[in-house]
Amino acid sequence: MAIMYALKSSDNEIFEVEQKVIEQSETIKKMIEDGAATGEIPLQVSSKTLAKVLEWCKQRQHKTVENENDDNKGKRKKERDEDDDIKEWENKFSDELKADKDVLFDLLLASNYLDLPALLSFLCQLVADMVAGKMPEEIRRMFNIENDFTPEEEKAITAEHGWAFQP
Amino acid sequence: MDAMGDDVVNDWINQLPDEILVDIINRLSVVEAARTSVLSTRWKYLWTFITSLDFHSPRGMWKVLNKLDENEQSIKWTWGAVYRRYDREILVKRAKYICWVNKVLELHRGSSIDELKVSYELYDSHERIITSWIRAAISKGVQKLELNLRAAWGNRQYTFPKELSSISSLKSLSLSGVNVTSEIIESLVYNCPLLERLCVANSRPWLCLKVVISSIRLKHLVIEGCFSNEEFEISTPSLLSFKYHGTGHIKLNVQNVPQLVDLYISGYNLSNMIRPFINYLTQLETLELHFYLCEDNTRSPLCELPKLRYLTLSVSAPGAGNLFVLTHMIRACPFLLKFTLKFQLVGPRTERAIKQFPKCAHEHLKVVEFIGFVGHSIDLELAFYLLKNSISLEKMIIDLTSPFSRGNYWDFEDCEEKKEEKKAARMRARKLKEKAPKGVKLVIY
């Protein structure tokens, strides 16, 4: 029988999760090891975001097991043919997040708080891909970044890093 | 989603801590990273904390030469004329590149540089500058250092400074177009306590007879394009992978590599190149052989390779050639999971009737990949054979892009002639669909 844990979101929703799945979070793993995880584990994460975190962890679980086996043998190059399914899943996951930036950034904060390095790295790459190839004005618009430079300041920076602003 | 009509502005990205923002910026190119400095006051200096500095020049020097070629039809096309123009362009661009690297290193505020990659035509006369870059990276604990310098004809290569051959943080070192003596290599391997990966490529004046690579930490070793009869003595119990790419004019003396599982070998005379590894072949899991198809190279079949899972054969062959000899090699690997053929047709296209190869079951083969598929008799018949005889086959991947031009200076994949050829090859690849048994997925790229 798999050991189950109950996670409580910030809006008081309970998620029943297998230990193996949730142990990917270093934060929770530590709570379990310290014996602090009796009963419900309260987390500062909304139910909507926590659901996404668990979706990731469940998908990731199989991958980690496979990769670990590979590591023991040495190294294995990523084979594009063998990773098709995972890639497809990841693409769908990314598309959903791109469409809902509230969840995307909540998830980034959650992965940092729960110490899920693989998810954090995946999300950082996702945001980087969104930024790549865009000019500053587009990036500001995409992420609602307020430009608090005076026009003179902005001009000065653009001039200083001239090499970065040539198309 | 846009700013339009969004009265309650969600300042998502500003809620993230600095280290996450730096992590995001670190995944951009250096140019794009610097561009974020203008987003808002909070972003102004964030990019100067990135840890990965890849000074990759987007437009390589060869592209400059190509561009001249296109634009200046009026110039009398002599090498002299082209080089004079080329020299001028190169001087301006190189000065800009050097300024750029200097500037970024000067602005860098982070306490660490994990990765420094310099990729440009620089040589001996830039010694002071290149060395200062390496020093800057060392002072910030560089783990991965890559110099890809490609000195043009007649220029002396930059010499890796002997006094920098002991870098305590270094895990991976790649030197291409850099002059290294055996003394420096041996010193690097001996004195960098964390060094796991070493790549030496296109080093011109070796001026040495023998390099001894002996380490208990080194896991990956790559030697590329060195050709003046150097002798490499490799005794590295920790070695997992070894790659030699070149003409085969080097001597390899290999001993004590009990962990070697991944081997890449090339050369005019294949059996000569394999001989030093003869005692270690049975432990290999991945093998890539790069050779020209001729009788000499395929006469002696490989001994049985019981652990091999991934076999790649990179073959150049004339259209009239016969790839059937390769099936001996596949047969030598009873537990093979994936077979890849990287194929380059040399000389005129010769069409002949498709041959039937004798039957032979390859029981475990699940994936077959053809890169550089042309769909002439020579590779089509091998594809037919593998479809018929690989009883566990799940997938056949047909990639029409030539394996040897990809990503290098001679990448002409986009030219019209190539496009036409590819279209024709795609048509021919469809023939495989008719022959593919049920349950085999055929993918054409």
Side-chain angles (χ1 to χ4, degrees):
Chain A
M1 241 333 248
I3 304 169
M4 302 294 281
Y5 281 89
L7 307 179
K8 194 166 123 189
S9 69
S10 56
D11 47 348
N12 296 324
E13 208 173 301
I14 304 289
F15 292 80
E16 294 271 342
V17 199
E18 265 185 58
Q19 180 173 358
K20 260 191 296 185
V21 173
I22 200 55
E23 259 188 359
Q24 290 175 56
S25 156
E26 289 297 326
T27 309
I28 295 180
K29 193 176 173 189
K30 207 158 177 288
M31 286 166 93
I32 294 172
E33 281 168 2
D34 293 349
T38 48
E40 290 159 3
I41 305 177
L43 297 173
Q44 291 308 311
V45 180
S46 75
S47 54
K48 197 176 170 189
T49 307
L50 190 53
K52 276 272 168 221
V53 170
L54 296 175
E55 201 185 314
W56 166 271
C57 289
K58 278 176 196 156
Q59 165 68 23
R60 191 74 195 178
Q61 188 196 354
H62 310 287
K63 202 175 165 176
T64 334
V65 174
E66 281 166 27
N67 279 358
E68 264 171 16
N69 287 348
D70 273 351
D71 273 351
N72 294 339
K73 284 184 219 147
K75 73 302 65 104
R76 174 88 302 124
K77 282 170 252 154
K78 252 199 170 174
E79 304 281 342
R80 69 177 170 199
D81 41 295
E82 284 161 13
D83 278 348
D84 277 359
D85 291 345
I86 297 173
K87 222 173 264 165
E88 208 179 303
W89 184 89
E90 285 182 349
N91 284 343
K92 203 175 138 253
F93 193 74
S94 311
D95 287 345
E96 284 167 16
L97 294 177
K98 275 190 217 161
D100 191 343
K101 294 195 198 93
D102 278 326
V103 179
L104 170 60
F105 287 104
D106 243 9
L107 202 53
L108 261 164
L109 287 170
S111 61
N112 191 38
Y113 159 63
L114 293 172
D115 200 356
L116 284 159
L119 178 58
L120 184 61
S121 157
F122 177 83
L123 295 170
C124 285
Q125 188 60 50
L126 181 64
V127 177
D129 291 343
M130 290 163 84
V131 169
K134 302 226 168 44
M135 288 315 268
E137 198 40 55
E138 287 174 90
I139 302 172
R140 284 193 202 113
R141 211 165 38 219
M142 189 163 50
F143 298 125
N144 293 334
I145 298 169
E146 195 197 339
N147 180 4
D148 54 358
F149 287 119
T150 65
E152 292 76 30
E153 282 171 331
E154 190 178 338
K155 220 173 157 185
I157 299 172
T158 317
E160 195 192 346
H161 307 328
W163 46 271
F165 294 95
Q166 289 153 7
Chain B
M1 258 316 137
D2 284 339
M4 221 177 87
D6 243 356
D7 282 333
V8 190
V9 174
N10 282 315
D11 196 3
W12 303 292
I13 208 160
N14 257 346
Q15 292 169 22
L16 300 175
D18 281 355
E19 61 266 28
I20 294 188
L21 293 183
V22 172
D23 189 341
I24 292 169
I25 301 172
N26 202 30
R27 293 160 194 268
L28 299 168
S29 69
V30 177
V31 169
E32 285 182 324
R35 221 180 266 170
T36 63
S37 60
V38 79
L39 290 175
S40 75
T41 43
R42 182 173 176 206
W43 290 75
K44 191 172 175 187
Y45 296 110
L46 282 177
W47 78 277
T48 63
F49 289 85
I50 59 175
T51 54
S52 167
L53 298 176
D54 179 357
F55 295 104
H56 162 81
S57 72
R59 213 171 293 154
M61 279 301 133
W62 287 103
K63 291 270 166 69
V64 175
L65 188 60
N66 284 345
K67 203 180 75 194
L68 289 178
D69 198 0
E70 277 165 30
N71 294 349
E72 308 202 2
Q73 302 283 346
S74 55
I75 290 192
K76 208 173 165 197
W77 207 92
T78 60
W79 282 111
V82 171
Y83 282 131
R84 272 194 299 281
R85 260 314 296 265
Y86 177 61
D87 273 349
R88 238 180 7 239
E89 291 256 347
I90 230 176
L91 279 178
V92 176
K93 298 214 178 223
R94 184 186 289 128
K96 274 191 182 167
Y97 182 87
I98 292 174
C99 276
W100 176 43
V101 180
N102 279 341
K103 187 86 191 159
V104 171
L105 287 173
E106 180 197 314
L107 291 170
H108 191 264
R109 292 188 177 191
S111 59
S112 53
I113 294 177
D114 294 338
E115 184 179 7
L116 175 70
K117 276 194 200 175
V118 174
S119 191
Y120 216 77
E121 281 196 12
L122 297 169
Y123 38 86
D124 197 34
S125 56
H126 309 100
E127 185 187 344
R128 201 177 45 80
I129 283 167
I130 303 170
T131 305
S132 76
W133 297 343
I134 302 175
R135 280 189 195 279
I138 294 176
S139 73
K140 295 191 177 185
V142 69
Q143 297 175 15
K144 194 172 171 192
L145 182 62
E146 190 177 322
L147 301 180
N148 185 7
L149 301 185
R150 319 187 279 269
W153 306 269
N155 289 309
R156 281 177 49 177
Q157 287 180 331
Y158 168 73
T159 304
F160 195 86
K162 205 161 69 183
E163 65 276 17
L164 296 184
S165 62
S166 158
I167 310 174
S168 59
S169 54
L170 199 65
K171 289 182 182 162
S172 169
L173 176 66
S174 175
L175 301 173
S176 176
V178 175
N179 174 30
V180 276
T181 60
S182 57
E183 194 189 351
I184 290 171
I185 292 207
E186 285 168 11
S187 171
L188 280 163
V189 170
Y190 188 77
N191 292 316
C192 299
L194 301 176
L195 193 67
E196 287 189 351
R197 180 182 292 275
L198 175 66
C199 169
V200 188
N202 307 314
S203 179
R204 238 175 1 225
W206 280 75
L207 299 175
C208 64
L209 293 168
K210 194 169 171 184
V211 190
V212 179
I213 295 179
S214 173
S215 161
I216 49 161
R217 288 167 303 265
L218 200 67
K219 290 186 175 155
H220 309 282
L221 177 62
V222 180
I223 299 168
E224 255 179 80
C226 311
F227 42 85
S228 45
N229 290 314
E230 296 90 4
E231 183 177 347
F232 285 86
E233 194 176 303
I234 298 162
S235 167
T236 305
S238 49
L239 202 69
L240 298 173
S241 77
F242 176 78
K243 174 174 176 174
Y244 168 74
H245 184 85
T247 52
H249 290 98
I250 68 168
K251 268 181 236 155
L252 290 170
N253 182 358
V254 182
Q255 47 190 318
N256 199 8
V257 288
Q259 300 206 56
L260 188 73
V261 287
D262 187 348
L263 180 64
Y264 177 114
I265 280 290
S266 77
Y268 290 138
N269 187 330
L270 197 61
S271 40
N272 259 355
M273 294 309 295
I274 290 180
R275 200 164 300 128
F277 296 94
I278 206 84
N279 293 331
Y280 303 100
L281 290 178
T282 55
Q283 70 196 42
L284 295 180
E285 292 171 16
T286 305
L287 175 64
E288 176 158 357
L289 300 171
H290 186 120
F291 58 98
Y292 182 77
L293 190 77
C294 63
E295 216 187 307
D296 273 351
N297 281 337
T298 46
R299 197 173 347 163
S300 53
L302 289 169
C303 63
E304 191 172 288
L305 307 173
K307 290 198 174 162
L308 206 76
R309 300 289 180 269
Y310 302 89
L311 175 67
T312 301
L313 300 177
S314 260
V315 182
S316 312
N322 186 349
L323 296 180
F324 179 60
V325 284
L326 305 183
T327 64
H328 297 299
M329 294 188 179
I330 305 173
R331 219 175 305 155
C333 321
F335 296 102
L336 197 66
L337 289 178
K338 182 175 178 187
F339 170 71
T340 303
L341 176 74
K342 293 184 183 170
F343 183 59
Q344 176 83 45
L345 193 65
V346 230
R349 286 148 212 289
T350 332
E351 268 309 335
R352 51 172 172 73
I354 290 195
K355 286 181 191 143
Q356 289 279 345
F357 296 158
K359 269 192 180 176
C360 174
H362 301 292
E363 283 183 32
H364 296 87
L365 201 55
K366 285 198 166 69
V367 182
V368 168
E369 184 177 28
F370 278 61
I371 299 176
F373 183 82
V374 289
H376 290 289
S377 308
I378 181 167
D379 58 348
L380 203 56
E381 60 199 13
L382 184 66
F384 284 153
Y385 165 86
L386 288 167
L387 277 176
K388 211 170 175 182
N389 293 288
S390 314
I391 48 185
S392 314
L393 195 67
E394 290 170 3
K395 196 170 184 180
M396 182 176 261
I397 304 157
I398 300 293
D399 191 332
L400 307 169
T401 312
S402 169
F404 307 123
S405 68
R406 199 172 300 179
N408 68 20
Y409 310 128
W410 313 108
D411 188 348
F412 297 125
E413 290 299 324
D414 286 338
C415 74
E416 282 307 312
E417 197 191 336
K418 278 276 176 195
K419 277 185 190 160
E420 282 301 310
E421 274 177 24
K422 265 193 190 173
K423 216 165 127 190
R426 187 178 296 276
M427 294 296 287
R428 290 190 288 267
R430 298 217 171 98
K431 284 187 205 163
L432 292 169
K433 280 218 160 110
E434 299 155 21
K435 298 260 181 171
K438 260 196 186 145
V440 176
K441 200 169 148 195
L442 186 75
V443 195
I444 304 173
Y445 287 105

